[in-house]
Amino acid sequence: MPPLPTLSTPVTEWVASVRELTQADAVYWVEGSDAEYGNFIDQLQRSGELQKLNDAYYPNCFLARSHPSDVARVEHLTFVCTAKQEDAGPNNNWMAPAEARAKMRGLFSGCMKGRTLYVVPYCMGPIDSSYSRCGVEITDSAYVVINMILMTRAGRIALERISREGKFVKGLHSTGELDPNRRFVMHFPEDLAIESFGSGYGGNALLGKKCHALRIASYQARNEGWLAEHMLIVGLTSPHGQTQYVAAAFPSACGKTNLAMLIPPESMPGWTVTTVGDDIAWLHPGADGRLYAINPEAGYFGVVPGTNRKTNRNAFEMIQRDTLFTNVALTADNQPWWEGLDAGSPVIDWQGRPYEPGNGPAAQPNSRFTVAAKRNPSYAPEADSPRGVPISAIIFGGRRRGVTPLVYEARDWNHGVLVGASVASETTAAAIGQAGVLRRDPMAMKPFAGYNYGDYWSHWFAIGQKLKNPPKIYHVNWFRRSDDGEFLWPGFGENLRVLDWILKRCSGQAAANESAIGNLPRPGDLNLDGLDVAEAALDELLSINVGEWRAEAADMARYLDEFGERTPAQLRAQVAALQQRLG
Ligand code: GTP
Ligand code: SPV
Ligand code: MN
């Protein structure tokens, strides 16, 4: 075990106080070496928390099973604890900081007796970037540790930066007893602190991800003049050799990882697509008046079901080695299996039971892979650039069977703020609760904005003011369905056709039709070479129903009322202008 670093007194003092509270048997400081990762894997195999998968097909891959009640984010148990309730806003659950601290003290008291306390120093973003921010997660879960090692720049390099800066986000986590009645994820943005108890899964437990890089970071970003967003970042090089970067915000399990790793269809030769990030973007106005993005993460925690050679070949190849699988099924020869995989069949389900179709899907619908970003065949070297990449277009989107067309373009940045705020999407398995329920999810940040949405929209308008050359803003919907429930658009690689139109719009090379909601391509404006979509389907995808949109705008106006005085007047004016255009 590495010796305790002597440089970072604030960290050592905090660790000592947490050890006293939790009564941990031992303290282990994560160093971040490959040998150490191997030791953790061995330890987790011995304890039965990890199972080695078939090494001939899946070298260095492991399966973890979480508690069956602990398979997704718990939004109803997630709180933003600002001093004033209005600062958390109606978009968040709120608890007074003193009450939340007392409740968590009770839960953490003595909770690590007989356990080891792991200290994980981590850096969100390239280690040498001024845009990056550091944190320390204390956890009693070795599974969480190996996930954090894959997902962040963790260990000694991060601790050295923290020692220099003195400032870090304090994240305290214990799996507790995995009792859903003793489970909370608390955020204290004013103190840069997170306390999470009773879950070992995903965004509840890997505190660098949604808790730090979105909820705490969005709060910091507002004070410091930048944006922390639930966005992928993708680089697109056209057949003419021009590279542009796009950031896109879709709600959980609505296609970010897939778009970030898109494989161009055969009928669109000459395109190159590279991945900067698949889930989170930190966006900064640059000196040249453009918006620059970094990916704070160093790995992917991606949805497994649906991943195959046809839908997402990059992800499929990436997870053939050096990957952790959580809650997938197994084949007879110990390979991972999931719904949407086009080979093999399940014999053991995600809970470790003999597979019975009557028990539901073999793989848990929110089963995930954890893998280092560098394993991605389309990994963009610019993901390590301290300056980030300039963004040409921002795309918002949701999963909606109707109303929103395949794509439309905002008139300008300020209208784009309304377009982003208008995102509504059907809920998915990424959060505990019923899936398929349409809900408002502005900027795909409903579960992640660490402060009042009213203030958040004002901040978006303010950022626009700082940009001489702002990205153009779009809205897409890959999930529109016909009356018999079929997807109208083939999606996945074919989404490049929409990106192609967007990039051509950004460089003034494509036409569009002006409509009340924004600019829409006509079928002839899209590259449809080699695409098999019926004309009637295209017409439906590329048109709007004015009656539906009047109802949509009225609902949006009602929704904004929930935020009262905090709703920026500019946003209300944008809705009023939309209603006027709709007649
Ligand atoms: P989080 O990691 O939860 O934030 O999800 P995400 O936004 O990265 O979503 P992801 O790319 O993992 O996709 C979620 C599900 O949607 C998977 O089952 C995909 O197969 C499916 N999906 C992604 N893109 C498309 C698309 O263009 N069309 C259709 N029909 N399904 C898609
Ligand atoms: C999401 O739910 O948006 C995810 C998975 O990316 S989690 O890490 O659980 O938040
Ligand atoms: Mn996500």
Side-chain angles (χ1 to χ4, degrees):
M1 193 181 300
L4 290 189
T6 48
L7 291 168
S8 57
T9 329
V11 184
T12 49
E13 280 175 0
W14 178 57
V15 169
S17 74
V18 170
R19 183 177 191 182
E20 193 175 303
L21 171 66
T22 59
Q23 300 284 297
D25 270 19
V27 174
Y28 180 96
W29 291 73
V30 169
E31 192 183 52
S33 69
D34 291 346
E36 179 188 63
Y37 181 81
N39 293 340
F40 273 112
I41 295 282
D42 292 346
Q43 172 193 330
L44 283 160
Q45 280 185 269
R46 282 196 301 275
S47 68
E49 289 165 86
L50 282 187
Q51 178 177 332
K52 189 162 177 53
L53 294 167
N54 187 323
D55 204 52
Y57 297 98
Y58 285 88
N60 199 29
C61 290
F62 300 87
L63 167 68
R65 292 193 184 104
S66 71
H67 190 277
S69 77
D70 185 30
V71 295
R73 284 183 293 100
V74 282
E75 296 182 1
H76 58 297
L77 303 174
T78 298
F79 289 76
V80 169
C81 308
T82 43
K84 291 197 202 118
Q85 180 165 7
E86 312 86 83
D87 291 337
N91 47 305
N92 282 302
N93 299 315
W94 176 84
M95 200 182 284
E99 188 191 342
R101 291 277 193 187
K103 185 186 267 300
M104 298 309 277
R105 245 195 122 66
L107 294 172
F108 279 111
S109 236
C111 75
M112 295 188 194
K113 267 188 203 132
R115 301 184 185 181
T116 298
L117 178 163
Y118 300 103
V119 184
V120 190
Y122 63 86
C123 177
M124 300 311 288
I127 195 79
D128 55 349
S129 172
S130 61
Y131 299 149
S132 301
R133 292 287 183 276
C134 291
V136 176
E137 174 163 0
I138 291 179
T139 178
D140 55 10
S141 162
Y143 165 82
V144 165
V145 171
I146 55 172
N147 276 271
M148 286 294 288
I149 289 173
L150 291 170
M151 297 293 299
T152 71
R153 284 120 172 136
R156 189 164 288 271
I157 46 165
L159 192 57
E160 278 164 10
R161 179 163 169 165
I162 292 168
S163 303
R164 280 199 308 277
E165 293 180 343
K167 198 170 162 185
F168 61 100
V169 171
K170 292 187 175 94
L172 174 53
H173 169 255
S174 170
T175 52
E177 316 84 42
L178 298 175
D179 175 355
N181 297 312
R182 285 161 55 83
R183 182 176 289 165
F184 290 100
V185 188
M186 301 285 191
H187 301 74
F188 306 91
E190 289 145 346
D191 303 332
L192 302 186
I194 305 154
E195 295 188 0
S196 168
F197 189 90
S199 164
Y201 201 79
N204 301 328
L206 315 178
L207 302 186
K209 197 170 175 62
K210 295 314 188 347
C211 299
H212 178 165
L214 287 178
R215 296 193 193 94
I216 300 289
S218 61
Y219 179 92
Q220 271 186 307
R222 183 196 171 208
N223 292 334
E224 297 173 6
W226 48 284
L227 294 166
E229 298 296 328
H230 193 202
M231 289 178 180
L232 67 94
I233 309 161
V234 66
L236 298 145
T237 306
S238 75
H240 307 291
Q242 191 194 8
T243 300
Q244 288 177 280
Y245 298 90
V246 165
F250 311 148
S252 301
C254 290
K256 289 182 301 300
T257 300
N258 277 268
L259 195 70
M261 298 176 191
L262 179 148
I263 304 268
E266 268 169 32
S267 49
M268 292 182 76
W271 282 87
T272 308
V273 179
T274 60
T275 313
V276 178
D278 85 320
D279 197 50
I280 299 176
W282 287 357
L283 303 153
H284 287 256
D288 60 357
R290 298 191 71 184
L291 191 60
Y292 283 79
I294 64 162
N295 171 16
E297 301 189 280
Y300 311 121
F301 184 66
V303 175
V304 177
T307 306
N308 63 49
R309 221 179 279 281
K310 279 202 209 84
T311 55
N312 190 348
R313 193 175 76 223
N314 283 323
F316 185 75
E317 283 174 5
M318 165 175 85
I319 62 178
Q320 301 298 308
R321 56 183 304 146
D322 306 325
T323 301
L324 302 176
F325 290 87
T326 304
N327 291 342
V328 296
L330 289 174
T331 63
D333 64 347
N334 199 36
Q335 295 189 52
W337 193 92
W338 54 87
E339 275 68 21
L341 189 66
D342 35 20
S345 53
V347 166
I348 305 288
D349 76 6
W350 65 275
Q351 297 188 55
R353 305 172 299 189
Y355 172 62
E356 289 276 355
N359 285 338
Q364 212 286 330
N366 191 40
S367 52
R368 299 258 168 180
F369 55 75
T370 317
V371 63
K374 292 212 161 107
R375 292 247 67 99
N376 177 4
S378 65
Y379 183 74
E382 306 87 90
D384 292 306
S385 158
R387 298 169 50 220
V389 295
I391 298 298
S392 298
I394 288 175
I395 305 176
F396 295 107
R399 183 185 283 270
R400 278 189 87 163
R401 42 187 68 233
V403 185
T404 53
L406 179 64
V407 57
Y408 67 99
E409 178 187 71
R411 300 153 70 93
D412 53 27
W413 178 276
N414 287 348
H415 177 226
V417 177
L418 171 63
V419 169
S422 307
V423 170
S425 195
E426 291 149 21
T427 50
T428 65
I432 299 282
Q434 207 190 331
V437 181
L438 188 73
R439 71 163 178 185
R440 297 231 154 256
D441 193 348
M443 280 81 170
M445 284 285 280
K446 165 71 187 72
F448 309 122
Y451 62 103
N452 191 314
Y453 252 149
D455 301 335
Y456 170 89
W457 297 317
S458 296
H459 185 51
W460 264 83
F461 285 116
I463 291 287
Q465 291 273 302
K466 289 200 210 172
L467 300 171
K468 272 204 311 286
N469 194 356
K472 283 169 89 74
I473 297 181
Y474 296 82
H475 188 287
V476 300
N477 178 13
W478 313 140
F479 300 94
R480 210 167 155 127
R481 294 187 197 232
S482 64
D483 292 338
D484 49 15
E486 298 292 312
F487 290 120
L488 287 173
W489 179 250
F492 302 103
E494 306 294 349
N495 294 333
L496 183 59
R497 298 172 192 280
V498 173
L499 298 176
D500 181 19
W501 177 74
I502 287 174
L503 294 180
K504 289 207 173 90
R505 291 291 296 169
C506 291
S507 51
Q509 295 167 307
N513 226 355
E514 203 179 310
S515 86
I517 69 165
N519 303 319
L520 277 80
R522 291 155 299 192
D525 297 323
L526 291 177
N527 175 353
L528 300 175
D529 293 348
L531 181 75
D532 184 23
V533 174
E535 207 170 301
L538 262 183
D539 284 343
E540 193 174 336
L541 284 162
L542 299 179
S543 60
I544 60 164
N545 176 317
V546 172
E548 283 175 359
W549 272 93
R550 284 190 191 126
E552 182 73 15
D555 188 64
M556 189 61 195
R558 265 194 307 277
Y559 175 70
L560 294 184
D561 286 343
E562 285 178 31
F563 299 87
E565 299 272 276
R566 300 265 180 145
T567 303
Q570 282 202 73
L571 193 53
R572 288 190 192 282
Q574 286 289 340
V575 179
L578 170 65
Q579 288 181 305
Q580 198 161 42
R581 292 196 300 273
L582 287 162

